[in-house]
Amino acid sequence: MIKVRINEVNYEVPPNLTILAASRFIGVEIPTLCYIPGLEAIGGCRLCVVEVTGARSLVTACSTPVTENMEIFTNSSRVRECRRTTLDLLLSNHDKNCFSCSKYGMCEFRTLCAEYGLEETSYPADEPLKPLDTSNRFFVRDPNKCILCEKCVRVCKEWQGHGAIWLSSRGYKTEVTPAFKVSAQDSECVSCGTCLTVCPTGSIYPKELHLGSDMSFEKIETVCPYCGVGCKLNLHVKSNKVISVSPANGPANHNLLCVKGRFAYNFINHKDRLKTPFIRKRGKLIPATWDEALDKIKKAYIKIDTEYKKKLFISENCAEKISEFNNQSNSIDNKYKNNVNNDLANNINNSFKNNINGDVDNKLANYKNILNIDTLKDGSPFAGLSSAKCTNEENYLFQKMMRSVFKTNHVDHCARLCHAPTVAGLAMSFGSGAMTNSISEISDMDVIFILGSNTTETHPVIASKMRQAKQKGAIIIVAEPRRIDLCREADIFLQIEPGSNVALLNGLMKAVLEEGLEDKSFITDRTEGFKELTEMLETITVEACADICRVSADDIRAAARTFAKGDKAGVFYAMGVTQHSSGTEGVLSVANFAMLCGKIGKSGCGVNPLRGQNNVQGASDMGAVPTDLPGYQKVAVDSNIQKFEEAWNTKLPKFKGKTVTEIMDEILLEEIRFLFIMGENPMVSDPDLTHAEEALRNTEFLVVADIFMTETAALADVVLPAASFAEKEGTFTNTERRVQLLNKAISSPGESKEDREIIQEIVNAIGGNWNYSSSSQIMDEIASLVPIYGGISYDRLKGANKNYGLQWPCPSLNHSGTKILHTSSFTRGKGKFIPCVYKSPAETSSVEYPFILTTGRILYQYHTRTMTSKSEGIEEIAGKNFVEMNPSTATKYNISQGEMISIFSERGEIEVNVRITSKVKEHILFMPFHYAESAANVLTGANLDPISKIPEYKVSAVGIRKIN
Ligand code: SF4
């Protein structure tokens, strides 16, 4: 600590601080208009000037370091006079009409002017007003209120890594504009709103913020409901409405948000929110009371449960008679086949049937206790799809309901369709299927290898951290079938073929071994299976791998060398790796590559799967999957079943549950008859949609809980109105395993309820007796049963860990959570090399289907658009689907930009607009999957990865046709 004297009081402050930081350290405020915490000070606005004894002139506090025994005056008359003059000059160049400014009351500049007694400028200028740039859908740029503090320019470049705006022109004409003074709409701006957040005046203001005459509003900190980054944000609430959003300083986002988190909040108070339950009557969904809806669910449950038990009873007790019937029936069919006498055959058959049914009925009549028939060892007619949009507590209750009340393991959720191979593959290699490192490490990494992830569009804030690393000198390697946005930052770009990940990773490993760059001590001390890996790699060459990927072997070698030599080198991957029929092998190969180079268990390294939805990590953690009880405790292990049976005081099913895609198949086989879907929309997100739609339409009893009448809800027998993330307390677990608290900001509309309440009401309607009164009570139960969540409690998340949450594993209340996994040993002990031989995708192009369609997400929409489509700005930018096509392909087929064409696969055909771009190669097409109209998933197939059962969304053979 060093001694300083500030405003005639002696203090001790840490060394190496600026005067501004030292003053803030002791609680003395100094005004600034251009200072941005964390970025280099530029001393541009001159508002932070202070007087230092002995200095010839005033100094800027933001850029002057404190020294031992420095004497500082932060508010002397000389200082105040100087600040007042500066403000006066700034005001001379500022639009005077503050009362009409939408930032009125929140403008830092105006507040300072008032504090320094400035109503009007002493230097009035008579310049004509400059035109506003209103072209951005979410905010307006007003040059007349700009004080050229450069904050917007700097955060755009240095935080977000975009550099979409600059200071253009010089001297008096200096202005903040996009490059070449194009409008915001035509610029590279991605509407993240960071410029808006830091603007200290009304020069950048949101279009939708209307505070009215009462300018007060409440600010509630919570977590973004969109992607797995888990950005913290503030909901600005007025009269039970969310009127705007601002970023919070969360551990994953550090004051950044993307366009969805910042502006796509209109769904919360949207008029179309479900406000009452609906039940289907005479084919139509009509509004109903909760009692009516629950009663309908109860009746369907009893009917299907009883019939299922009867079926089991019959198959177990009347096998002899049934077999007699079948034999007799076959012999009659044979005898009268060739249509000689069908009626006679049917009559005889029916008389046998009646005879046997009578016999079965007699047995049933004598069996009084049919409801006690043990259904735990067989399949079940009940299934449930949980939700990666809902909280941990709700997912925990959902799977508990399915297992302990409906007695089924047929429970799954959309993780099956995005990162099931990650959970399976990393569990096999490391013992734990999650991101090994943390988001905060990214900006300090040396080598970032991005594989199968269009990070700028799918995890925008993580992409910003990658760009920050690039600005500090990191090397970026991108391997992707499309020339994605991050290729502009990439030092090495490998434009690989869809489905060639395993070949690429094998080629990289082969190149590492050829150059002797493997981490020998890591391999010896921390791993097993290296011999098997090298034996497999001996059978291949880098050149052969390069041929499969259609990239150069030299580029593979350069990438391998760069990664292996990097000190802080890590892999980031997403669904470009997992959504393949070899998805698990892709993940295993990523793990092999990282272990070979010794990049596990260290800061800035790791295998980092980027999880899709906001709480897809948590939904998996909570056991919303057929194979695992909460905390990845396997259903197949008897002691796990026993543990949960004791805790839940009931018997649990042990049979193997079905996955999302298998559930659809089982519905069509009439094996599954009752499906409860909580907050998912498989009518848009499932592969081979025609098949999925047929299944959902044929589900005997379908219950959907959601916040809107989605495409799936519209097919349901009962629809239950749910609360949104803004209307509930709970926790989400982000992609880096961080459990963060949601705070309830407003009450939910009409009669809608939190999903945890909905689940409890259903359980109690069908005979249960659950009494959960809060999410924190559920978290306590989770902590008692799930070792990796053992130390997580609401007391901690609201108290000492309020700002950071807790990263699992967090096994006890005095554990501070785990930033990096596998530091000294892997969860399974030693990391296991599991060699994988490249297999081509299930579908390849042919004469009839000459193109490979690959699907994915875009920046502006989310998942099935249930929420993002409610934002007009988002819809204006990205309201329609498109297919990306290479210019040569377009020329060959005589297709022009924006033309509507037909795309067809073996499974269906859609019409969609063409976007001509060299992002894709000639034989590749790309389509986002978000849109129900012209849904990409009509074309995709359910070619499953045999281990994780994920469908191969990323490779579908398709043909194209001009419509006219
Ligand atoms: Fe929300 Fe993800 Fe955007 Fe962050 S990056 S604001 S979590 S959508």
Side-chain angles (χ1 to χ4, degrees), residues 224-233 253 256-262 458-462 862:
C224 176
Y226 286 110
C227 87
V229 179
C231 297
K232 280 206 162 183
L233 47 76
N253 63 313
L256 298 180
L257 292 177
C258 77
V259 60
K260 295 184 290 291
R262 187 69 164 79
T458 57
H459 300 84
V461 166
I462 286 184
Y862 208 75

Side-chain angles (χ1 to χ4, degrees), residues 739-756:
V739 182
Q740 302 188 108
L741 195 66
L742 291 187
N743 289 306
K744 181 169 174 165
I746 56 173
S747 52
S748 63
E751 293 169 32
S752 60
K753 295 179 191 234
E754 294 184 36
D755 291 274
R756 70 173 171 85

Side-chain angles (χ1 to χ4, degrees), residues 819-840:
K819 195 171 171 220
I820 303 171
L821 295 180
H822 320 303
T823 46
S824 52
S825 69
F826 285 92
T827 309
R828 68 179 294 281
K830 288 204 163 187
K832 185 166 187 180
F833 286 109
I834 302 172
C836 303
V837 175
Y838 165 75
K839 294 184 202 84
S840 56

Side-chain angles (χ1 to χ4, degrees), residues 141-159:
R141 187 175 294 281
D142 180 355
N144 306 297
K145 291 173 184 153
C146 179
I147 57 169
L148 298 178
C149 66
E150 290 185 56
K151 274 174 128 174
C152 55
V153 173
R154 298 188 67 209
V155 294
C156 185
K157 173 86 181 120
E158 296 178 50
W159 276 0

